[in-house]
């Protein structure tokens, strides 16, 4: 009788530890980065790893562009920056929808929210308003689109999947248009800043 009692007590004490180590309610899995989670789910599927990784990164980046475009509508002071944000929402929403369709056909899991790296950019810009937001947002857009163009250019040349390769090639001109516009706005801002520092400078 005593032996059965102590055995039951031992099992009761051991149960919470067993649940935790086996991924029970206290498991950390739910807090994982959405990009890492999508990559893990894509392990072992038919498509090449480079193909699924590109799709996952492009999806997270596209979601960030839309969210930042929406933020520009709220926090920007410049009409031109707001218009640029509208273009980001329109163009990247369209690209995101096309990418979703391609991924679904190939059983590639895409993140349903931005990854930690992209979320960091969103959180930083949420803290800014007015001209400070305008400058930080456009500077980020120039840097981000330079990186995107490099990634999409490599994908359009090197991916083994013809559909995702075609998607990358088709999206490249749109990204170049975004980069050119962001650079133009950036130059205009710098000119205005220089003029404000030197009121006697010619306009």
């Amino acid at each position: 009788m005593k032996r059965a009692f102590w055995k039951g007590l031992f099992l009761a004490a051991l149960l919470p530890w067993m649940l935790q180590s086996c991924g029970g309610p206290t498991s950390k899995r739910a807090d994982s980065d959405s990009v890492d989670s999508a990559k893990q789910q894509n392990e072992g599927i038919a498509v090449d790893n480079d193909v699924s990784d590109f799709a996952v990164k492009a999806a997270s980046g596209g979601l960030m562009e839309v969210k930042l475009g929406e933020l520009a509508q709220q926090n920007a002071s410049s009409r031109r920056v707001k218009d640029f944000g509208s273009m980001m929402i329109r163009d990247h929403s369209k690209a995101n929808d096309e990418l979703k369709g391609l991924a679904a056909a190939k059983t590639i899991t895409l993140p349903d929210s931005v990854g930690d790296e992209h979320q960091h950019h969103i959180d930083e810009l949420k803290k800014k308003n007015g001209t400070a937001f305008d400058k930080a947002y456009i500077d980020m857009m120039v840097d981000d689109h330079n990186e995107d163009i490099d990634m999409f250019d490599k994908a359009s040349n090197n991916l083994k999947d013809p559909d995702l390769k075609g998607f990358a090639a088709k999206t490249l001109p749109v990204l170049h248009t975004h980069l050119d516009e962001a650079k133009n706005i950036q130059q205009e801002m710098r000119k205005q800043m220089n003029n404000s520092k030197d009121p006697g400078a010619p306009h």
Side-chain angles (χ1 to χ4, degrees):
M1 188 79 178
K2 282 185 179 180
R3 189 172 180 182
F5 170 79
W6 285 113
K7 186 176 180 183
L9 193 64
F10 174 74
L11 286 173
L14 191 63
L15 186 61
W17 180 86
M18 289 172 68
L19 281 171
Q20 184 173 352
S21 62
C22 293
T26 53
S27 175
K28 222 177 136 184
R29 187 67 253 158
D31 298 325
S32 66
D33 177 15
S34 61
V35 167
D36 291 339
S37 179
K39 284 182 179 180
Q40 287 174 6
Q41 290 182 61
N42 289 326
E43 289 176 5
I45 63 173
V47 299
D48 184 83
N49 276 346
D50 289 340
V51 173
S52 60
D53 283 356
F54 165 75
V56 168
K57 288 177 186 175
S60 177
L63 289 170
M64 181 192 74
E65 297 291 2
V66 172
K67 285 186 176 293
L68 289 180
E70 291 170 349
L71 198 57
Q73 307 306 300
Q74 303 166 29
N75 294 10
S77 62
S78 162
R79 180 73 258 167
R80 195 170 176 189
V81 172
K82 286 180 182 288
D83 290 343
F84 181 85
S86 295
M87 179 169 65
M88 293 300 99
I89 296 170
R90 183 188 67 241
D91 292 350
H92 282 283
S93 293
K94 183 180 177 183
N96 291 349
D97 288 343
E98 185 176 349
L99 183 56
K100 280 180 191 174
L102 291 171
K106 298 170 189 301
T107 65
I108 298 173
T109 299
L110 298 181
D112 55 7
S113 59
V114 297
D116 289 349
E117 181 184 351
H118 290 139
Q119 185 61 48
H120 173 72
H121 293 318
I122 295 169
D123 292 341
E124 285 299 305
L125 280 175
K126 275 182 179 176
K127 302 171 187 174
K128 301 180 185 295
N129 280 286
T131 55
F133 174 89
D134 294 348
K135 183 182 183 306
Y137 175 55
I138 291 301
D139 286 348
M140 185 184 292
M141 287 297 94
V142 170
D143 293 342
D144 185 60
H145 279 82
N146 272 316
E147 291 175 8
D148 286 349
I149 286 169
D150 183 57
M151 181 176 78
F152 275 71
D153 185 55
K154 287 175 181 173
S156 69
N157 287 306
N158 301 328
L159 286 186
K160 293 178 181 176
D161 183 275
D163 296 324
L164 269 298
K165 188 175 183 178
F167 168 77
K170 178 182 172 182
T171 309
L172 262 175
V174 179
L175 296 175
H176 277 289
T177 299
H178 294 171
L179 178 61
D180 290 343
E181 179 61 11
K183 282 182 174 179
N184 288 337
I185 298 173
Q186 189 181 59
Q187 287 172 1
E188 183 183 282
M189 285 180 176
R190 286 174 181 169
K191 198 178 293 182
Q192 289 173 352
M193 193 178 293
N194 289 336
N195 287 342
S196 65
K197 289 178 182 175
D198 183 10
H203 292 273

